[in-house]
Amino acid sequence: VEATIPEPLREAWRKYSAKPFTQKSEIELEFVRHIETTLARSLFNCDELAAYSGIALAFRDRLIIEWNKTQQRQTFADQKRIYYLSLEFLMGRALDNAMLNVGLKDVAKEALGDLGFRIEDVISQEHDAALGNGGLGRLAACFLDSMATLNYPAWGYGLRYRYGIFKQEIVDGYQVEIPDYWLDFNPWEFPRHDITVNVQFYGTVNKQRDTQGRTTHIWQGGETVQAVAYDVPIPGYGTPTTNNLRLWSSKATSGEFNFQKFNAGDYESAVADEQRAETISAVLYPNDNLERGKELRLKQQYFWCAASLYDIVRRFKKTKRAWNEFPDQVAIQLNDTHPTLAIVELQRILVDIEVLEWDEAWHIVTHTFGYTNHTVLPEALEKWSVPMMQNLLPRHLQIIYDINLFFLQSVEKRFPTDRDILARVSIIEESHPKMVRMAYLAIIGSQKVNGVAELHSDLIKTTIFKDFVDICGPDKFTNVTNGITPRRWLHQANPRLSELIASKLGGYGFLKDLALLEELEDFINDKEFRKSWVEIKLMNKTRLAKHIKEATGYQVNPNALFDVQVKRIHEYKRQQLNIFGVIHRYLAIKAMDPKERAKPVPRVSIFGGKAAPGYWMAKTIIHLINKVASVINNDPDVGDLLKVIFVADYNVSKAEMICPASDISEHISTAGTEASGTSNMKFVLNGGLIIGTCDGANIEITREIGEQNIFLFGNLAEDVEELRHRHYYGDFKLDMHLAKVFDAIKGGMFGPPDDFAALLSSVESHSDYYLVSDDFLSYIETQELVDEAFRNQDEWTDKCITSVARMGFFSSDRVITEYAESIWNVEQLDMGKENE
Ligand code: KOT
């Protein structure tokens, strides 16, 4: 039955069709209506959480009106769409973003004021949507914001985890993990119980001949799990475009099998099946830059890829186009190798179900996908055991073997004399057990492969993917340097700075065209402007100091230099280098004549970040930071000169408070290990400076803002291999300043030395893989330069303003434009008059 209302009956629809609100009174009406009906509350029991729910529901309705129209517009325009496949979307809070993007925050503030609430208090009631670990997931969230803002027809596809990244508590200096059940009340998602896909696992493959005598493969048996779509509206800033993020949730299929079990009285086992199915989307794996090869993770990956591909193909088929037009309609971007099975799944759909010839299908596949690599760390490169894949996805493994066979044949033809190349580039690693190398499969199945900062993109071409550059040619490999959305990371996180900038630049145009910030340099000598600039930084630091007091009990002085390192805890990111530097500073203060202690610049060293629950060394680093904090913060000799703070449960909303409050932030990874980093950009955009290594995007930040405005130190990526080699062959002497730090730890200054023995020995006796000792002197000397520079507040302010003015390049709008033009070949939707 056609589900469309006939034309003569549509008048009533048009008359009553929902209109997006714009007036304060309309917001108030909707707010009260939701409180009194949807939430069944009243003015007598409306607390701040209820107020959040009411205003969120009002804005959700507002978004959904535009979301509906956007989908109609995009269907009508019938252009190529972008599909961004990511296992992580680290969205953070949605309400503030929704109000700002539709341009109604000021109006909502007044409306809430009329009804007895302060907008900041209401906003802070919202639970972060924390479906990600760190940079990779937050990048996906920034990209969604930019794609909507730039009117690209784009969909995100991910998993709707019941538990996002765990909550971190610090108990006796140790990290404790608490489950993050976040779905109690989530007004931002729309269950689509009518949009489901059955996904198959296990089973066997049988060959059959079809009527034309061709061999076809039938994948049968095993189990099926149902994917249910949950849609999250993604509003663009200053445009009606509201794109869709589709998250899949797993549940048992309501099929024959269950029905029989129920009827047979096997209630318990039917319920157990139900729970097993729901387990697939139950929890986000809490590892950043680490893959552990667990079967459930592989199940998640296939479940999500299969559901998403089915959805994408279904949408394409509605257009009744020929298959060879698929790559003109569909661009699929793989956020790291996690969705690589989508390549295999599309080939399976085309060959087994749509009965295309292998070569025709493979041509379509390889013109549809793009693959973004985010890391060179060996422990993060995904490999799946062949026996595991054979069991879980038997047909996919066959297809992978065929892809590999045809690929290796072509390589052999072109490089007949290179005897090792086939083993080196084979998708299958000949280990025990054999392993499927997902990155190689992703490269072979994609049209373009990109790294996320210049150094990183060069490194992948010369190291881990070198052979593939020789085989596929250099044009397949490209760079797209990461960026961040200025809406969340300037306007939302730092409204006062944004307002000050707008007052000078004559409006908020810079939020859509961040290069406009360069005009700020004209105001560098404007006294009033500078004064406001400094006041805003102090206010942001005061706000953070207040949080620190509430969360830790420690009082910090907002006039001290705030030195911040917040990111996942990882040896390669070198929080250990930072805390060893703090201990060095502490020892120096203690060794001073009390009269001299007035001289050093007062500092607050602020740390934050989660350790993967199974990563012991990272947990030890957290423990050391907390022990050092309790010794230093309680030492009367030190006073305000040095304070050490560990902010528990670092997440997106904490980042929004912390980034605007730094004077200097630390991005100090071993050169060549941090693919890009994105918090470096957030800190500079908020008027903080950086101490960092020549790594990731630090290099391009330096190029943009000028090397006089950044504190770089340490060995270069090109020297890392040689240094490691030297350590390995015994030529290693611990830096003398670091040796004193280690002596203090070993002497029990920060608790039982055994607690930290493994950490010290990773530097002293296990080859110092991350070159902590090699970079230590250069690090502490550079920290002294930071002190010097901070003493001259005027010059410091010059550096900050100049840096902000030159950060335009790091907008994720620029990033998306580059992807669209050089990888996806998609066009913005023409919004005509609507966007004016
Ligand atoms: C790898 C495996 C599992 C989970 C996460 C990863 C991961 C995360 N790999 N790279 N990243 C980070 O991605 C960011 C966005 O591109 C980069 O800025 C950052 O340097 C990577 O470490």
Side-chain angles (χ1 to χ4, degrees):
V1 179
E2 186 60 59
T4 310
I5 309 296
E7 182 57 47
L9 300 176
R10 288 183 199 171
E11 198 169 320
W13 282 80
R14 294 204 177 102
K15 185 164 160 205
Y16 295 116
S17 170
K19 312 269 181 312
F21 56 62
T22 53
Q23 306 291 316
K24 188 179 76 166
S25 59
E26 295 170 299
I27 296 179
E28 291 173 359
L29 180 77
E30 287 300 293
F31 175 88
V32 174
R33 182 177 69 79
H34 276 299
I35 300 276
E36 292 186 349
T37 61
T38 318
L39 300 167
R41 293 209 185 205
S42 74
L43 99 110
F44 299 107
N45 65 353
C46 183
D47 55 13
E48 278 170 353
L49 183 61
Y52 159 69
S53 308
I55 196 77
L57 288 165
F59 271 88
R60 169 181 94 152
D61 292 349
R62 177 72 169 65
L63 294 192
I64 217 63
I65 297 170
E66 297 298 354
W67 180 91
N68 259 321
K69 289 200 221 158
T70 301
Q71 297 316 313
Q72 285 168 25
R73 212 161 35 231
Q74 293 181 0
T75 305
F76 186 72
D78 198 24
Q79 289 172 204
K80 186 172 185 177
R81 287 185 174 89
I82 305 154
Y83 296 103
Y84 197 80
L85 268 56
S86 179
L87 262 193
E88 305 189 9
F89 287 94
L90 193 46
M91 303 295 286
R93 291 177 177 151
L95 174 61
D96 198 8
N97 188 249
M99 295 188 302
L100 284 170
N101 279 17
V102 301
L104 288 173
K105 186 170 177 185
D106 293 339
V107 184
K109 183 177 175 169
E110 283 178 33
L112 284 168
D114 284 355
L115 297 157
F117 295 94
R118 271 179 33 135
I119 194 165
E120 291 80 17
D121 301 333
V122 172
I123 286 171
S124 67
Q125 294 298 314
E126 183 173 356
H127 195 111
D128 275 31
L131 305 186
N133 279 287
L136 173 141
R138 184 54 231 177
L139 187 74
C142 285
F143 282 7
L144 293 180
D145 184 78
S146 283
M147 291 189 293
T149 299
L150 295 171
N151 302 312
Y152 282 107
W155 288 60
Y157 276 103
L159 282 181
R160 176 182 179 266
Y161 303 109
R162 190 147 31 105
Y163 297 93
I165 190 66
F166 62 85
K167 279 193 166 314
Q168 179 194 54
E169 285 182 9
I170 301 296
V171 180
D172 295 332
Y174 291 100
Q175 168 175 298
V176 174
E177 298 103 25
I178 317 284
D180 168 47
Y181 184 81
W182 69 293
L183 291 172
D184 256 348
F185 175 75
N186 177 12
W188 307 107
E189 65 174 14
F190 288 79
R192 301 281 192 192
H193 294 291
D194 54 328
I195 300 179
T196 62
V197 182
N198 285 343
V199 179
Q200 187 179 356
F201 295 102
Y202 307 107
T204 52
V205 180
N206 295 307
K207 279 190 195 174
Q208 264 182 14
R209 281 195 184 276
D210 67 11
T211 45
Q212 286 138 45
R214 296 177 14 148
T215 308
T216 55
H217 294 84
I218 315 286
W219 177 23
Q220 286 166 313
E223 62 177 47
T224 56
V225 176
Q226 193 175 60
V228 182
Y230 284 72
D231 287 346
V232 182
I234 308 291
Y237 174 77
T239 169
T241 299
T242 304
N243 280 338
N244 194 27
L245 168 60
R246 179 157 285 176
L247 301 176
W248 299 105
S249 182
S250 62
K251 70 192 274 266
T253 46
S254 41
E256 193 66 12
F257 187 63
N258 285 6
F259 188 67
Q260 275 171 15
K261 273 194 182 173
F262 275 113
N263 279 352
D266 200 353
Y267 179 71
E268 271 177 58
S269 131
V271 172
D273 285 349
E274 199 100 358
Q275 285 183 345
R276 237 161 60 82
E278 287 175 19
T279 300
I280 291 179
S281 61
V283 56
L284 164 75
Y285 275 88
N287 304 316
D288 191 87
N289 268 291
L290 179 71
E291 277 300 336
R292 311 231 294 173
K294 290 271 202 284
E295 188 187 59
L296 182 60
R297 169 86 166 180
L298 185 60
K299 271 190 146 176
Q300 288 187 335
Q301 293 185 350
Y302 180 63
F303 171 79
W304 152 63
C305 289
S308 306
L309 250 284
Y310 187 91
D311 211 41
I312 293 166
V313 166
R314 170 168 61 191
R315 196 166 301 119
F316 172 76
K317 285 176 112 177
K318 273 200 203 154
T319 70
K320 305 243 179 334
R321 286 185 163 84
W323 279 111
N324 63 13
E325 290 179 56
F326 192 79
D328 304 328
Q329 289 294 301
V330 174
I332 304 179
Q333 191 64 26
L334 308 174
N335 200 20
D336 216 281
T337 53
H338 316 148
T340 304
L341 284 170
I343 290 173
V344 189
E345 176 69 358
L346 181 57
Q347 181 72 1
R348 186 184 75 84
I349 292 172
L350 295 178
V351 172
D352 290 2
I353 299 169
E354 304 294 336
V355 290
L356 267 62
E357 294 295 336
W358 177 277
D359 288 344
E360 191 189 353
W362 189 240
H363 183 270
I364 292 168
V365 169
T366 51
H367 287 77
T368 298
F369 289 94
Y371 156 48
T372 305
N373 172 280
H374 295 267
T375 181
V376 294
L377 298 191
E379 66 269 32
L381 296 181
E382 275 192 295
K383 293 172 183 178
W384 290 106
S385 124
V386 166
M388 186 191 288
M389 209 178 272
Q390 166 70 51
N391 182 43
L392 188 69
L393 301 167
R395 178 59 185 141
H396 293 78
L397 187 66
Q398 286 180 346
I399 293 173
I400 290 171
Y401 268 94
D402 285 344
I403 293 171
N404 197 36
L405 176 72
F406 297 133
F407 173 67
L408 291 181
Q409 281 173 349
S410 75
V411 174
E412 195 177 25
K413 236 186 250 164
R414 286 199 33 218
F415 301 88
T417 56
D418 188 340
R419 295 190 62 76
D420 306 325
I421 195 167
L422 298 187
R424 288 204 306 273
V425 302
S426 173
I427 296 173
I428 307 298
E429 180 181 277
E430 296 293 327
S431 46
H432 299 283
K434 290 183 185 171
M435 301 294 253
V436 183
R437 296 157 161 164
M438 301 308 271
Y440 292 5
L441 179 53
I443 295 171
I444 295 165
S446 295
Q447 185 169 50
K448 290 270 179 186
V449 178
N450 76 284
V452 289
E454 275 176 24
L455 174 70
H456 169 66
S457 298
D458 287 344
L459 279 175
I460 62 178
K461 282 196 279 185
T462 51
T463 61
I464 54 175
F465 302 150
K466 183 175 185 306
D467 287 319
F468 290 90
V469 177
D470 296 340
I471 293 165
C472 313
D475 290 350
K476 182 159 184 169
F477 292 83
T478 166
N479 172 252
V480 186
T481 299
N482 282 169
I484 56 174
T485 168
R487 272 75 66 183
R488 184 174 293 260
W489 296 111
L490 178 54
H491 194 46
Q492 193 173 314
N494 204 341
R496 287 177 210 260
L497 188 64
S498 185
E499 194 185 351
L500 176 65
I501 293 172
S503 76
K504 289 294 161 191
L505 303 192
Y508 286 98
F510 61 96
L511 291 176
K512 274 203 164 207
D513 180 3
L514 203 62
L516 293 176
L517 284 180
E518 68 185 28
E519 290 171 33
L520 275 183
E521 287 200 55
D522 299 346
F523 300 94
I524 194 140
N525 295 318
D526 176 333
K527 285 227 173 66
E528 281 300 303
F529 172 66
R530 293 174 66 97
K531 189 163 160 267
S532 310
W533 186 280
V534 171
E535 277 169 10
I536 289 166
K537 179 59 79 178
L538 185 63
M539 270 180 359
N540 290 331
K541 288 166 74 178
T542 305
R543 174 172 68 158
L544 177 57
K546 184 162 169 271
H547 170 78
I548 289 173
K549 176 78 184 152
E550 284 162 9
T552 69
Y554 292 127
Q555 185 94 47
V556 301
N557 177 0
N559 291 304
L561 190 164
F562 276 24
D563 169 344
V564 183
Q565 188 178 17
V566 286
K567 49 184 84 230
R568 285 300 286 254
I569 312 292
H570 207 297
E571 285 166 283
Y572 89 82
K573 295 179 188 279
R574 297 203 296 191
Q575 283 92 354
Q576 71 274 42
L577 175 60
N578 185 346
I579 194 65
F580 294 153
V582 169
I583 297 172
H584 169 81
R585 179 173 287 261
Y586 174 59
L587 297 177
I589 293 171
K590 292 292 277 185
M592 276 177 194
D593 186 291
K595 274 174 278 170
E596 277 185 51
R597 288 203 184 121
K599 282 191 191 153
V601 176
R603 228 186 235 248
V604 184
S605 273
I606 299 163
F607 293 82
K610 295 172 186 177
Y615 189 175
W616 285 104
M617 197 64 89
K619 289 185 150 180
T620 304
I621 294 170
I622 292 179
H623 187 208
L624 179 60
I625 295 167
N626 281 292
K627 285 294 172 179
V628 170
S630 70
V631 170
I632 295 180
N633 297 351
N634 294 305
D635 187 334
D637 288 349
V638 177
D640 265 1
L641 278 188
L642 184 58
K643 286 274 174 284
V644 181
I645 302 296
F646 191 93
V647 178
D649 199 40
Y650 177 62
N651 59 15
V652 172
S653 50
K654 296 245 168 82
E656 288 172 30
M657 169 174 56
I658 292 169
C659 293
S662 93
D663 295 303
I664 195 130
S665 64
E666 309 220 9
H667 308 274
I668 58 177
S669 49
T670 312
T673 61
E674 188 72 276
S676 162
T678 41
S679 75
N680 42 8
M681 303 164 191
K682 294 166 198 168
F683 282 102
V684 179
L685 187 59
N686 281 283
L689 302 183
I690 283 181
I691 179 167
T693 44
C694 295
D695 201 16
N698 289 355
I699 296 172
E700 286 144 274
I701 292 175
T702 307
R703 185 191 309 157
E704 294 292 311
I705 70 178
E707 59 188 355
Q708 68 285 6
N709 297 319
I710 188 166
F711 298 90
L712 293 177
F713 73 96
N715 285 285
L716 302 180
E718 52 197 312
D719 299 321
V720 167
E721 199 182 74
E722 156 88 17
L723 285 165
R724 282 180 179 159
H725 187 268
R726 260 198 251 161
H727 291 184
Y728 194 78
Y729 289 99
D731 182 10
F732 177 68
K733 193 163 180 319
L734 195 65
D735 174 86
M736 57 179 274
H737 303 280
L738 188 57
K740 295 210 173 110
V741 169
F742 280 20
D743 286 345
I745 298 172
K746 287 174 188 170
M749 192 178 275
F750 307 106
D754 279 359
D755 290 1
F756 310 113
L759 178 60
L760 301 200
S761 111
S762 74
V763 177
E764 282 181 301
S765 24
H766 292 306
S767 75
D768 192 14
Y769 190 74
Y770 297 103
L771 308 183
V772 172
S773 176
D774 300 83
D775 283 348
F776 194 69
L777 181 62
S778 162
Y779 176 64
I780 58 179
E781 285 176 352
T782 307
Q783 284 287 22
E784 279 172 27
L785 295 180
V786 172
D787 285 340
E788 279 309 308
F790 195 70
R791 276 208 188 86
N792 188 337
Q793 278 289 304
D794 271 345
E795 277 182 29
W796 186 276
T797 303
D798 286 344
K799 289 181 196 295
C800 296
I801 295 173
T802 312
S803 299
V804 172
R806 299 177 183 176
M807 282 299 286
F809 181 73
F810 299 99
S811 166
S812 47
D813 297 345
R814 185 271 309 160
V815 183
I816 288 303
T817 309
E818 283 186 21
Y819 276 97
E821 288 173 1
S822 71
I823 296 179
W824 300 330
N825 192 26
V826 291
E827 310 259 303
Q828 290 163 285
L829 209 79
D830 181 0
M831 301 295 290
K833 284 204 305 264
E834 251 174 305
N835 212 9
E836 277 160 26

